[in-house]
Amino acid sequence: MADRAPLRPGPDSTTDLVLHEGGGSRAWVVPIVLTGAAKSLLVPLVLGGITGAVAVVALVTGTDAATVGQIVLGIAAVEAALAAPLTVWIELTTVRRLRFAPAQAPTRFRTVRAARPGPWQPITQLRGIRLEHRVTEPYPGDQQPATEQLTVRFDLAGDELKWTPPALTSPQRLYGAFTALLGPAGVRVELVTERTVRARPSRGPGWTGGGSASANSGGFSGGG
């Protein structure tokens, strides 16, 4: 499990499912805005190929290295500045928590973003939760360990919310926690596990190897 469980006590006898840290009050707006601005600084790295191509063309056409360096820095600054509003907006509008009330037998829930919670909705608006657990196992003789990926999908009356839990989160424990909290309210909870075998690397022209297999296991909790 991750160091901190995703399901935690919330304010006023509620239970919070923490999708992303922070949010829920105006005090969180500035830190979240700064997080979005910091993420915009990564955009020049993602677009490094374009910047690099410009630098190569400049060098080929005889531009001195100092000028090329200034051009690269200028392009990076423009890319980050253009990306900043988008990354900040994404951080501010991201659902950071799902809040359930009452804490032990929820009959309603609300989404929590950066500044404040949204309106309460009946628990029936949460149509289901699907945990998709993908396991990639090593092929015979492979020295690399198996890898796992967990994705959780929430059906909010037809509007899907997707969440990737922190690394080391146990799918079985999370499924059990969702089932215990929301099963009595009639919320469908499913755990689907898919197993595949990692493909062998190619060893030359005409050589192929490896394979894959899959197995699904599911769980269901809730009423009709």
Side-chain angles (χ1 to χ4, degrees):
M1 286 290 289
D3 291 338
R4 301 191 66 187
L7 284 170
R8 307 175 196 168
D12 302 322
S13 299
T14 60
T15 294
D16 279 4
L17 170 61
V18 180
L19 310 179
H20 306 280
E21 294 293 343
S25 68
R26 294 183 178 179
W28 277 103
V29 171
V30 172
I32 289 175
V33 167
L34 292 177
T35 298
K39 289 183 178 181
S40 70
L41 299 178
L42 300 177
V43 171
L45 297 179
V46 176
L47 301 178
I50 297 175
T51 307
V54 172
V56 169
V57 171
L59 289 171
V60 170
T61 56
T63 307
D64 62 272
T67 302
V68 171
Q70 294 175 355
I71 292 173
V72 169
L73 290 176
I75 293 174
V78 170
E79 291 171 342
L82 293 176
L86 177 60
T87 55
V88 169
W89 180 82
I90 291 174
E91 289 294 322
L92 289 175
T93 57
T94 293
V95 175
R96 312 191 77 83
R97 297 171 183 243
L98 291 178
R99 180 163 293 161
F100 301 96
Q104 299 302 320
T107 59
R108 54 186 181 152
F109 78 99
R110 71 201 310 183
T111 57
V112 179
R113 290 180 168 83
R116 59 186 178 184
W120 287 107
Q121 303 179 61
I123 199 67
T124 53
Q125 292 296 100
L126 178 56
R127 303 287 178 80
I129 302 175
R130 180 183 174 91
L131 292 83
E132 299 175 351
H133 181 212
R134 294 182 174 85
V135 182
T136 303
E137 299 178 332
Y139 56 82
D142 186 7
Q143 301 300 312
Q144 298 298 319
T147 59
E148 301 183 44
Q149 180 180 8
L150 178 61
T151 301
V152 182
R153 301 180 186 273
F154 302 89
D155 184 355
L156 305 178
D159 184 13
E160 183 182 80
L161 173 64
K162 187 171 72 170
W163 173 49
T164 301
L168 304 181
T169 299
S170 167
Q172 292 76 19
R173 291 185 183 180
L174 190 57
Y175 167 75
F178 284 154
T179 300
L181 178 67
L182 300 171
V187 177
R188 182 181 61 183
V189 182
E190 296 177 286
L191 170 60
V192 179
T193 299
E194 177 182 331
R195 297 181 180 274
T196 60
V197 177
R198 186 179 298 121
R200 292 178 180 270
S202 175
R203 295 184 178 177
W207 184 92
T208 59
S212 65
S214 65
N216 292 336
S217 63
F220 172 85
S221 173

Coordinates of all heavy atoms in Angstrom, one line a residue, residues 78 107 205:
V78 N 9.2 31.1 -24.4 CA 7.9 31.3 -25.0 C 7.0 30.0 -24.9 O 5.8 30.1 -24.6 CB 8.1 31.6 -26.5 CG1 6.8 31.6 -27.3 CG2 8.8 33.0 -26.7
T107 N -25.0 8.5 1.7 CA -26.2 8.7 0.9 C -26.0 9.8 -0.1 O -26.9 10.0 -1.0 CB -27.4 9.0 1.8 OG1 -27.1 10.2 2.5 CG2 -27.7 7.9 2.8
P205 N 16.9 -10.3 -37.8 CA 15.9 -10.4 -38.9 C 15.3 -11.8 -39.0 O 16.0 -12.8 -38.9 CB 16.7 -10.1 -40.2 CG 17.9 -9.3 -39.7 CD 18.2 -9.9 -38.3

